[in-house]
Coordinates of all heavy atoms in Angstrom, one line a residue:
A520 N -20.3 -9.7 10.2 CA -19.0 -9.0 10.3 C -18.8 -8.2 9.1 O -19.5 -8.4 8.1 CB -17.8 -10.1 10.4
V521 N -17.8 -7.2 9.2 CA -17.6 -6.3 8.1 C -16.1 -6.3 7.8 O -15.3 -6.2 8.7 CB -18.1 -4.9 8.4 CG1 -17.8 -3.9 7.3 CG2 -19.6 -4.9 8.7
G522 N -15.7 -6.3 6.5 CA -14.3 -6.1 6.1 C -14.3 -4.8 5.2 O -15.1 -4.6 4.3
F523 N -13.4 -3.9 5.6 CA -13.4 -2.6 4.9 C -11.9 -2.1 4.8 O -11.1 -2.3 5.7 CB -14.1 -1.6 5.8 CG -14.0 -0.1 5.3 CD1 -14.8 0.4 4.3 CD2 -13.1 0.7 5.9 CE1 -14.7 1.7 3.9 CE2 -12.9 2.1 5.5 CZ -13.8 2.6 4.5
T524 N -11.6 -1.5 3.6 CA -10.4 -0.8 3.3 C -10.7 0.5 2.8 O -11.3 0.6 1.7 CB -9.5 -1.6 2.4 OG1 -9.2 -2.9 2.9 CG2 -8.2 -0.9 2.1
G525 N -10.3 1.6 3.4 CA -10.6 2.9 2.9 C -10.2 4.0 4.0 O -9.3 3.8 4.7
S526 N -10.9 5.1 3.9 CA -10.6 6.2 4.7 C -10.9 6.0 6.2 O -11.7 5.2 6.6 CB -11.3 7.5 4.2 OG -12.7 7.4 4.5
L527 N -10.3 6.9 7.0 CA -10.5 6.8 8.5 C -12.0 7.2 8.7 O -12.7 6.6 9.5 CB -9.6 7.8 9.2 CG -9.8 7.9 10.7 CD1 -9.7 6.6 11.4 CD2 -8.8 8.9 11.3
A528 N -12.5 8.3 8.0 CA -13.9 8.7 8.3 C -14.8 7.6 7.9 O -15.8 7.3 8.6 CB -14.2 9.9 7.4
G529 N -14.6 6.9 6.7 CA -15.5 5.8 6.3 C -15.5 4.7 7.3 O -16.5 4.1 7.6
G530 N -14.3 4.2 7.7 CA -14.2 3.1 8.6 C -14.8 3.4 9.9 O -15.5 2.6 10.5
A531 N -14.5 4.6 10.5 CA -15.1 5.0 11.8 C -16.6 5.0 11.7 O -17.3 4.6 12.7 CB -14.6 6.4 12.2
A532 N -17.2 5.5 10.6 CA -18.6 5.5 10.5 C -19.2 4.1 10.5 O -20.3 3.9 11.1 CB -19.0 6.3 9.2

Side-chain angles (χ1 to χ4, degrees):
V521 177
F523 172 84
T524 300
S526 68
L527 177 57

